[in-house]
Amino acid sequence: MSILWLKALHVFFMLAWMAGLFYLPRLFVYHAINRNTQSSEDVHQQFKIMERRLWFFVTPFALLTLIFGIALIVSYGKAWFAASAWLHIKLLLVLAIYAYHFYLFKVLRDFAADKPMRSPLFYRILNEAPVLLIFAIVVLAIVKPV
């Protein structure tokens, strides 16, 4: 498979994954608002279903992003990897995004178990937190400033 196809697939799956990572915490915001207003239990259960389905829908995209990213690194070779300081920084930031992904799973499990939740503001901040990381990852990958 050519490097251009690997790049295209890596970027596609990354975009699909990020779309889910941006939407899942937004569902948490609405879920927390719903629980705070004591609306129907049916609505609460529907949020649980939506959150679980979305997390399990986007997780394969996280895996495919990783697979095609590793394939790109292997295709470029060890010498390129060793000389690419920007990539080393990017990979550290990517690890943070994967940690964020699995933290969202912990939050999802807390909602599913009806554990006390945080404020809707917390989930709004959680929703916006990865934006700067993703911006830095994209800049590193495109501009390669280091």
Side-chain angles (χ1 to χ4, degrees):
M1 184 177 290
S2 81
I3 285 180
L4 293 178
W5 274 106
L6 291 175
K7 282 183 185 180
L9 291 169
H10 178 67
V11 170
F12 171 78
F13 288 118
M14 182 271 305
L15 287 170
W17 177 33
M18 291 304 115
L21 286 187
F22 285 135
Y23 189 56
L24 184 57
R26 181 55 49 188
L27 285 175
F28 294 156
V29 170
Y30 299 141
H31 195 162
I33 290 169
N34 172 263
R35 290 306 279 180
N36 289 341
T37 60
Q38 300 298 321
S39 61
S40 80
E41 185 62 25
D42 289 342
V43 174
H44 175 60
Q45 293 304 319
Q46 186 63 41
F47 275 115
K48 288 180 181 183
I49 292 167
M50 292 167 62
E51 292 157 357
R52 186 182 69 247
R53 285 182 179 171
L54 181 58
W55 195 87
F56 283 104
F57 179 73
V58 300
T59 297
F61 298 144
L63 180 62
L64 289 165
T65 299
L66 179 65
I67 289 168
F68 286 109
I70 291 170
L72 276 168
I73 291 170
V74 169
S75 294
Y76 277 107
K78 289 180 185 179
W80 173 83
F81 180 75
S84 301
W86 65 269
L87 181 59
H88 301 148
I89 298 166
K90 176 190 169 204
L91 290 175
L92 286 174
L93 297 176
V94 166
L95 282 175
I97 295 293
Y98 277 95
Y100 175 79
H101 178 90
F102 287 102
Y103 178 72
L104 293 181
F105 183 67
K106 182 217 174 292
V107 173
L108 180 144
R109 288 182 27 192
D110 288 348
F111 273 107
D114 293 322
K115 290 186 178 176
M117 44 181 98
R118 298 176 185 247
S119 73
L121 177 62
F122 172 82
Y123 298 112
R124 286 176 204 264
I125 293 168
L126 186 66
N127 180 227
E128 296 164 6
V131 171
L132 293 177
L133 281 175
I134 294 165
F135 175 74
I137 289 168
V138 170
V139 167
L140 286 165
I142 303 299
V143 179
K144 299 172 181 57
V146 265

